[in-house]
Amino acid sequence: MGLSGRAEAYINKFAAMDCKEIGLILREAQAELFLAQKKYQAALEMLAPISADTSLQEHHKKRIDLLLLEAAIYQESGSDGEALPRLRKALEIEDADKYIRSFVDRGNAMYDLFAKLIKMLRKRNDSDLLDRAEKFADWFNRKNKAIAKGSKTSWIELLSNRELEVLKLLADGLSYGETADTLCISLSTVKKHTGNLYDKLNAKSRMQAVNIAKANKLIE
């Protein structure tokens, strides 16, 4: 199911519910539909109340999703000058790499926008953000290569080497602290990698992540 299909499913499921969170989801979903229908101004107007909601500043994933949706709308309407600043803002969010799937799931159009952003960052010698942008662009390339080879593309296939190391140690029963000591990294870094693992494996616990990994022969 594509993004517009998921958007329509959300609308049908939550239309009768009344709460702020569901209201935000409905607006975002409706904006996705307007984007698919090429109703760009209507999509932006639908998102305007969310963009103005300062209470969402601490909700990093919601902010990233919103910025990327706005960037996609401007990009498809031919306004890269408006799209690029929004992609940049999404990348600048502190833990954006935890939500890399939000970027890559937007497909090749977003990859094209990344290419333009990287070119701009190189011209401005913005090395810090350039490193992150190039890392994200590499994820697009890895996913596309998997598709080109005819393999079943999955976020499981896109686990980094470090994430696999953390996964194997957790599967062996090591605690977060023991895993950090074994890999000579900080406890917070272990927790960050674990969070990424849960997201990519669509798992909610260590046991579930380990079982999924074993089922896909990532670990013994």
Side-chain angles (χ1 to χ4, degrees):
M1 182 184 295
L3 290 172
S4 61
R6 291 207 302 271
E8 189 169 8
Y10 274 131
I11 290 174
N12 292 335
K13 182 175 181 179
F14 298 121
M17 301 178 71
D18 182 21
C19 70
K20 181 178 180 179
E21 182 179 2
I22 298 304
L24 295 177
I25 292 174
L26 284 170
R27 281 190 170 275
E28 188 175 351
Q30 186 64 66
E32 290 279 11
L33 283 178
F34 282 146
L35 172 58
Q37 296 165 356
K38 302 187 184 303
K39 298 178 180 179
Y40 305 122
Q41 189 57 41
L44 291 172
E45 290 173 357
M46 185 60 61
L47 293 178
I50 310 178
S51 301
D53 190 342
T54 57
S55 69
L56 297 177
Q57 291 303 307
E58 299 304 316
H59 296 272
H60 292 180
K61 187 177 187 306
K62 177 57 67 178
R63 285 179 59 207
I64 288 172
D65 288 343
L66 174 61
L67 286 165
L68 293 180
L69 178 50
E70 288 180 334
I73 294 168
Y74 280 115
Q75 180 190 24
E76 288 207 20
S77 66
S79 301
D80 284 352
E82 295 288 345
L84 286 169
R86 286 163 173 79
L87 175 56
R88 176 171 185 148
K89 284 183 180 179
L91 273 178
E92 287 174 338
I93 292 175
E94 183 179 356
D95 55 353
D97 55 347
K98 182 177 179 181
Y99 307 110
I100 194 168
R101 184 169 184 172
S102 293
F103 293 82
V104 180
D105 275 356
R106 288 218 159 260
N108 288 333
M110 185 59 62
Y111 176 75
D112 292 341
L113 198 61
F114 260 100
K116 293 176 182 178
L117 179 63
I118 288 171
K119 183 178 180 179
M120 183 181 74
L121 293 173
R122 286 174 177 164
K123 186 176 181 179
R124 297 180 180 179
N125 293 317
D126 191 341
S127 57
D128 290 340
L129 194 58
L130 177 60
D131 288 343
R132 177 173 285 187
E134 289 180 334
K135 173 186 174 183
F136 278 42
D138 181 60
W139 281 88
F140 279 97
N141 286 331
R142 290 172 65 183
K143 186 175 183 182
N144 285 339
K145 286 179 181 178
I147 293 173
K149 291 178 180 178
S151 59
K152 183 179 179 181
T153 304
S154 159
W155 284 97
I156 293 172
E157 298 169 9
L158 298 180
L159 295 180
S160 69
N161 290 333
R162 179 63 87 185
E163 288 165 353
L164 282 172
E165 289 175 341
V166 169
L167 179 60
K168 289 174 183 176
L169 292 175
L170 294 177
D172 289 338
L174 274 66
S175 66
Y176 289 159
E178 291 169 335
T179 299
D181 291 341
T182 300
L183 297 176
C184 297
I185 57 179
S186 69
L187 179 59
S188 61
T189 299
V190 170
K191 291 181 178 179
K192 181 178 179 180
H193 285 313
T194 303
N196 290 342
L197 284 168
Y198 286 3
D199 184 50
K200 292 176 184 178
L201 297 175
N202 195 25
K204 292 181 170 42
S205 68
R206 175 194 297 214
M207 181 177 294
Q208 187 178 17
V210 169
N211 287 339
I212 291 171
K214 287 183 176 179
N216 286 275
K217 300 181 179 179
L218 291 173
I219 57 178
E220 298 296 330

